[in-house]
Amino acid sequence: MGIIIWLLIGAVAGWLAGNIMKGGGFGVVGNIVVGIVGSVIGGFVFSLLGFGSTSMLGSLITAVVGAVILLYIVSIVKK
């Protein structure tokens, strides 16, 4: 059951980050990948700042922030 929730958080985080950064999602698989990579980045950034998430909402926020950072870096590299 944990992997399903992990994938759902990744999908929602990727979709939200896609809407925040460029106005659209990336499809289900793309959203999951962006969300999962974003959660790793967000977890790293938040741990540097001394924050940690203990709930599903905290995990979602961490993943969204990380995914937005990821998409911002990708947009800079693509230019």
Side-chain angles (χ1 to χ4, degrees):
M1 193 67 166
I3 190 78
I4 294 171
I5 292 177
W6 190 53
L7 292 173
L8 285 173
I9 288 175
V12 171
W15 178 77
L16 285 172
N19 285 326
I20 290 169
M21 290 301 292
K22 69 176 235 182
F26 303 103
V28 175
V29 175
N31 286 341
I32 291 172
V33 171
V34 168
I36 290 172
V37 174
S39 67
V40 171
I41 293 170
F44 176 73
V45 169
F46 281 175
S47 69
L48 289 177
L49 298 173
F51 297 113
S53 64
T54 58
S55 66
M56 192 158 45
L57 180 62
S59 297
L60 181 62
I61 291 169
T62 301
V64 170
V65 169
V68 167
I69 292 170
L70 172 67
L71 294 177
Y72 179 72
I73 291 170
V74 167
S75 71
I76 289 174
V77 170
K78 284 178 77 174
K79 288 183 181 183

